[in-house]
Amino acid sequence: EKSKAIKLQLDQLKKDIIFQYNNDFPTGLTIDNNWFEKVIQKSTSQNVDEVEFFIYHINESIKNAPFKKIPQKNGKYKVGLSDGRIKGIKQFKNIFETFEIEKYNSNRIRVTSITDNTITDFEQWMNSKEYSINYIGKHLSNFKMILREIKNIELNIIIKDIKIINEEKESDDII
């Protein structure tokens, strides 16, 4: 648990450095040890509550996946997501982090800033990467699931049914 927390902090520091570099370098500001020291100090002294960021909730979903109650048709519950489903959520996290870096210049997305436009941006970004319709649908479904799991935070979005269109797979009939 402690190593995961450290990794998250280092990942955030990396994002903060990239963001600040992208802002400062074009202005001609000298990027040197003093610059790094200021950026690191600013990044590590922020008193931001991690729960405000969507990536935090993705991590929570992954952490809680083995204990999640899944309703069954017979009125009972199954406990825990399958290994494949957990792997899919981890893939979604990686895709979403890349989306934040590329689309939002490494600015982490706050839960309260998520709108229908954010989801549309995510879908269009994935289309621009030429992911398959099924792969995009899978990650839109993960996005929707995590939004539904978030409690006690006012969202600026109405979670609509996200239609998942399955591409027909070509059969590999051997003659």
Side-chain angles (χ1 to χ4, degrees):
E1 284 296 319
K2 192 171 185 175
S3 66
K4 285 181 184 179
I6 291 170
K7 183 183 180 328
L8 284 174
Q9 289 173 334
L10 289 173
D11 288 345
Q12 184 55 47
L13 178 59
K14 177 182 174 183
K15 287 178 182 180
D16 291 344
I17 289 170
I18 291 169
F19 173 77
Q20 198 62 50
Y21 177 84
N22 288 337
N23 283 335
D24 292 345
F25 182 76
T27 67
L29 193 68
T30 303
I31 309 299
D32 58 10
N33 287 340
N34 291 330
W35 179 87
F36 272 106
E37 188 176 342
K38 288 177 185 174
V39 172
I40 291 169
Q41 185 177 24
K42 180 181 174 187
S43 177
T44 56
S45 67
Q46 292 174 347
N47 290 328
V48 176
D49 191 0
E50 287 298 310
V51 76
E52 293 179 28
F53 298 105
F54 189 65
I55 203 73
Y56 168 86
H57 294 281
I58 297 172
N59 286 324
E60 285 297 300
S61 183
I62 292 167
K63 183 175 88 176
N64 295 323
F67 314 106
K68 184 173 181 167
K69 284 184 171 182
I70 302 131
Q72 303 294 298
K73 291 181 182 177
N74 60 8
K76 296 183 179 182
Y77 289 91
K78 173 184 154 194
V79 177
L81 296 178
S82 70
D83 290 340
R85 187 76 174 99
I86 295 169
K87 181 181 175 186
I89 298 167
K90 288 177 180 178
Q91 287 174 340
F92 170 66
K93 176 188 171 192
N94 293 334
I95 293 284
F96 194 82
E97 287 177 325
T98 304
F99 168 70
E100 283 181 323
I101 290 167
E102 292 183 10
K103 184 73 177 175
Y104 291 94
N105 297 322
S106 297
N107 287 326
R108 295 187 305 161
I109 297 174
R110 293 180 187 272
V111 172
T112 54
S113 70
I114 294 175
T115 65
D116 290 330
N117 289 337
T118 312
I119 294 172
T120 301
D121 286 348
F122 181 69
E123 183 176 9
Q124 289 173 348
W125 176 82
M126 288 191 74
N127 273 316
S128 75
K129 299 294 181 188
E130 299 182 359
Y131 291 121
S132 74
I133 292 171
N134 290 346
Y135 193 72
I136 293 169
K138 173 179 137 179
H139 289 301
L140 288 173
S141 179
N142 287 327
F143 204 142
K144 178 181 172 181
M145 175 197 71
I146 291 166
L147 285 172
R148 284 196 169 133
E149 289 177 354
I150 299 172
K151 296 179 180 153
N152 302 322
I153 296 177
E154 188 175 319
L155 297 176
N156 297 322
I157 185 172
I158 297 170
I159 302 172
K160 298 185 238 176
D161 286 334
I162 297 174
K163 303 272 189 247
I164 300 171
I165 301 169
N166 291 318
E167 291 177 318
E168 289 189 27
K169 301 199 189 265
E170 295 179 22
S171 66
D172 294 333
D173 293 336
I174 299 174
I175 300 175

